[in-house]
Amino acid sequence: MGNETADVVVIGGGIIGMATSYYLSKLGLDVVVVEKGEIAGGTSSKCDGNILAIDKEPGFDSQMSLKSQELVTELVKELDEEFEYRAPGSILVCENEEEMVAANAWVEHQKQAGLPFRMLDRNDIKSEWKYMADDIYGGLECATDSTVNPVLFTYALAVTAKRLGVRLKTHTTVTKIRLDANGAVEGVETSSGLIYTKQVVNAAGVWSKHIGQMVGIEVPIEPRKGHILVSSRTKSIGTRKVMEFSYLMSKFGKERKVDEETEKYGVALVFEPTASQNFLIGSSREFVGFQTQINVDVIRCIARRAIRFFPVMKDIPILRSYCGLRPWTPDHLPIVSRVEEVPGFYIAAGHEGDGISLAAITGKVMSELITDQKTTITTDPLRYDRFQKTEV
Amino acid sequence: MSNSIIVCRCEEVTVENLEDAYHTGAITSRQIKMKTRATMGACQGRVCRNLVDLWMGNKNPLASKGVEQLSYRPPVRPITFGELAGEE
Ligand SMILES: Cc1cc2nc3c(=O)[nH]c(=O)nc-3n(C[C@H](O)[C@H](O)[C@H](O)COP(=O)(O)OP(=O)(O)OC[C@H]3O[C@@H](n4cnc5c(N)ncnc54)[C@H](O)[C@@H]3O)c2cc1C
């Protein structure tokens, strides 16, 4: 019948699926990617491109980010195309004394862990950011943070993986996963035929729960919507990323001092200058299912927040807005793991707001798990069964 | 078409830029747009959207069949952050 075979089938052509495929192909495996739409057509084209350590807890979280950061600098040299990589560092700004105290503790904590963090006072801020509101107290800097164009990054991985022999099947939907008599993976059924394989990677982002159900497991990943505004080309407001410190509070579900709407939509300032002489303004965090309509109330709230920090933006035109669905997990860490009860089934998903940051380390570790090698970082905190244990 | 013809005036994208993107693997309108920024400028592709789709269709007749067409993203007419925020 001429059915295809592969060593590994990767489900999903987002940044995670493409990074995984790239690292697998480097090890010489025969890989097929099945993507229901286009490469980077999912969340990986509806996001920012920040690769951040500034907002990570020292420890496993920040080590994973730093390792990924390191791999990205290697990818800049390894991949066939460039993806607007820059490493200007990033800063968080504080609105009040209380945040400054918390920021100070955060910086001390990070410095002890050996990371290049430092506090910034009102003058430091004023001299770098001439358009920043006058009543900003100060902030902190992480000197090594970097940024990429997420779509070009995904394309660069795809193009290079393809050269290394990976077959990309776009506009092809996975409909079923076949298991053998022992419950192990035997093949993947798609809208354009069956692919025999003993190994499958579920890299379907917010859709990975649905893929999990095909083999009878519950993957605890939910969509968390975020909006972004794109400015038109304009004079330079700043040359690197700025976020508000209270963004950390919202990220870890701690209390913030903001108005009701800002709280309700989880709005926190993220300013990101792009390589195309404009800037992106984010963002919001909401659980509203899979709907991806622009909510005007949310983008109004984001615009208000932007003006609070950069009053000059009042008169800058907005070009467009878009939104994406972050693949959220209950403990904010992704799942990068084999699934013991379904031999041959792996998950690489649930990176919430860090999928671009963590794609490189995720792909590397995934390739190591599949080929039974020692992994670059420990994967215990990323195991799928960590959720089952807490539920019992 | 001469290669120096500008397809997208806002982002100054030429036919040559489209050709380059096509030959490095961008084979649908959406990929072309992401790579060259054609249709992503101030006019929101009002002028060049059809041109890009047409050009793509000539290159690869399958590209526009059953594939995502280029979309408009709100706000459709540019407004400022201040207007959106409801100030003044
Ligand atoms: C507003 C916003 C801002 C963000 N900013 C940042 C940032 O600055 N830095 C950062 O690191 N991260 C950021 N993120 C997060 C990042 O975008 C995601 O974590 C990342 O894109 C997830 O990648 P993925 O490959 O897992 O998912 P996706 O890119 O969604 O890929 C999954 C793919 O699976 C495919 N698929 C689903 N079901 C099937 C099926 N049945 N058959 C075949 N294919 C299927 C989909 O079509 C999709 O293309 C942001 C996200 C948002 C929403």
Side-chain angles (χ1 to χ4, degrees):
Chain A
M1 281 274 291
N3 279 320
E4 250 185 293
T5 62
D7 291 336
V8 185
V9 170
V10 174
I11 304 173
I15 187 101
I16 301 297
M18 292 329 306
T20 301
S21 306
Y22 169 70
Y23 281 105
L24 282 169
S25 65
K26 262 180 70 168
L27 297 177
L29 276 77
D30 178 33
V31 180
V32 172
V33 178
V34 183
E35 164 56 54
K36 71 177 174 190
E38 295 201 12
I39 299 301
T43 306
S44 301
S45 57
K46 285 141 193 125
C47 55
D48 285 320
N50 307 329
I51 300 182
L52 302 179
I54 198 165
D55 57 350
K56 306 292 181 302
E57 293 275 358
F60 179 76
D61 256 21
S62 69
Q63 282 314 314
M64 181 168 52
S65 293
L66 292 174
K67 196 69 218 174
S68 205
Q69 172 83 259
E70 241 174 80
L71 291 172
V72 172
T73 58
E74 288 169 19
L75 290 175
V76 171
K77 292 176 226 127
E78 283 174 36
L79 299 185
D80 294 354
E81 294 184 0
E82 69 96 37
F83 44 94
E84 297 174 3
Y85 172 80
R86 289 157 286 153
S90 67
I91 73 169
L92 296 172
V93 291
C94 299
E95 275 190 281
N96 52 49
E97 192 55 50
E98 212 180 324
E99 285 180 12
M100 283 298 274
V101 172
N104 213 348
W106 186 251
V107 166
E108 285 313 313
H109 201 37
Q110 298 281 6
K111 285 204 310 215
Q112 271 161 28
L115 300 177
F117 277 62
R118 71 178 176 116
M119 283 303 284
L120 305 171
D121 64 22
R122 210 183 267 259
N123 286 334
D124 295 329
I125 298 281
K126 218 48 232 181
S127 60
E128 181 181 341
W129 301 88
K130 69 172 171 175
Y131 295 115
M132 181 85 72
D134 288 328
D135 62 341
I136 296 304
Y137 271 66
L140 66 102
E141 174 194 63
C142 174
T144 47
D145 281 345
S146 62
T147 163
V148 299
N149 176 320
V151 176
L152 296 186
F153 190 17
T154 313
Y155 287 174
L157 287 161
V159 164
T160 316
K162 206 165 148 188
R163 177 171 58 74
L164 295 174
V166 171
R167 283 164 283 156
L168 305 178
K169 291 185 177 296
T170 54
H171 301 285
T172 308
T173 305
V174 170
T175 51
K176 197 176 161 192
I177 294 167
R178 278 203 198 174
L179 304 181
D180 67 14
N182 300 318
V185 171
E186 185 178 60
V188 173
E189 290 182 20
T190 78
S191 51
S192 66
L194 173 65
I195 308 166
Y196 283 109
T197 184
K198 291 197 177 323
Q199 280 155 325
V200 168
V201 180
N202 176 1
V206 288
W207 299 274
S208 47
K209 186 177 203 158
H210 177 65
I211 302 291
Q213 284 162 353
M214 293 179 183
V215 296
I217 63 167
E218 261 320 292
V219 180
I221 290 175
E222 302 294 336
R224 195 175 199 186
K225 187 180 180 185
H227 286 77
I228 289 180
L229 295 173
V230 187
S231 83
S232 56
R233 280 191 186 166
T234 170
K235 63 190 166 207
S236 172
I237 303 287
T239 55
R240 56 179 174 165
K241 182 138 24 257
V242 184
M243 290 160 293
E244 54 177 298
F245 184 78
S246 73
Y247 158 85
L248 281 194
M249 312 285 192
S250 101
K251 194 180 157 96
F252 298 114
K254 288 176 195 154
E255 200 153 318
R256 297 173 68 196
K257 283 188 183 157
V258 287
D259 65 69
E260 209 178 297
E261 257 202 336
T262 306
E263 182 66 42
K264 176 172 154 205
Y265 299 132
V267 168
L269 173 85
V270 181
F271 164 87
E272 184 184 350
T274 72
S276 329
Q277 288 143 42
N278 57 1
F279 58 83
L280 306 179
I281 288 286
S283 183
S284 53
R285 288 169 191 270
E286 285 179 285
F287 294 105
V288 285
F290 280 87
Q291 60 98 352
T292 52
Q293 244 89 286
I294 303 289
N295 180 338
V296 177
D297 292 336
V298 176
I299 59 175
R300 176 176 302 132
C301 189
I302 295 174
R304 235 188 274 132
R305 201 73 195 145
I307 294 169
R308 187 267 170 269
F309 288 93
F310 294 103
V312 61
M313 283 183 195
K314 202 156 60 74
D315 300 315
I316 295 177
I318 298 167
L319 205 50
R320 62 181 158 264
S321 62
Y322 57 88
C323 55
L325 302 172
R326 303 179 187 88
W328 172 93
T329 68
D331 63 3
H332 303 285
L333 283 176
I335 305 170
V336 183
S337 176
R338 46 169 76 85
V339 173
E340 306 295 346
E341 58 265 47
V342 187
F345 192 79
Y346 296 80
I347 302 173
H351 296 73
E352 200 183 345
D354 289 312
I356 311 304
S357 297
L358 300 178
I361 188 66
T362 300
K364 183 103 199 310
V365 162
M366 210 61 216
S367 72
E368 292 161 345
L369 285 175
I370 289 173
T371 53
D372 267 324
Q373 298 178 53
K374 187 176 171 344
T375 50
T376 303
I377 55 167
T378 173
T379 55
D380 285 344
L382 308 177
R383 289 175 64 95
Y384 164 68
D385 57 16
R386 70 186 191 267
F387 299 107
Q388 290 162 311
K389 277 177 199 144
T390 53
E391 272 164 31
V392 175
Chain B
M1 257 195 273
S2 149
N3 272 2
S4 59
I5 285 181
I6 291 188
V7 178
C8 166
R9 269 182 260 158
C10 304
E11 296 288 322
E12 293 174 16
V13 181
T14 62
V15 172
E16 190 176 0
N17 297 143
L18 298 186
E19 291 280 351
D20 285 350
Y22 185 77
H23 288 296
T24 59
I27 52 147
T28 67
S29 297
R30 192 185 134 85
Q31 289 172 0
I32 285 277
K33 158 185 135 176
M34 291 296 197
K35 276 210 146 161
T36 63
R37 300 193 54 79
T39 79
M40 293 179 78
C43 84
Q44 298 272 49
R46 261 188 217 87
V47 178
C48 62
R49 181 183 320 272
N50 287 338
L51 264 177
V52 173
D53 276 336
L54 249 174
W55 183 88
M56 198 66 236
N58 279 338
K59 275 279 168 207
N60 176 5
L62 293 177
S64 51
K65 297 272 178 331
V67 171
E68 267 180 89
Q69 295 289 319
L70 295 178
S71 61
Y72 289 95
R73 295 190 191 271
V76 171
R77 202 160 279 114
I79 57 171
T80 64
F81 278 87
E83 283 160 352
L84 177 61
E87 293 181 7
E88 87 222 275

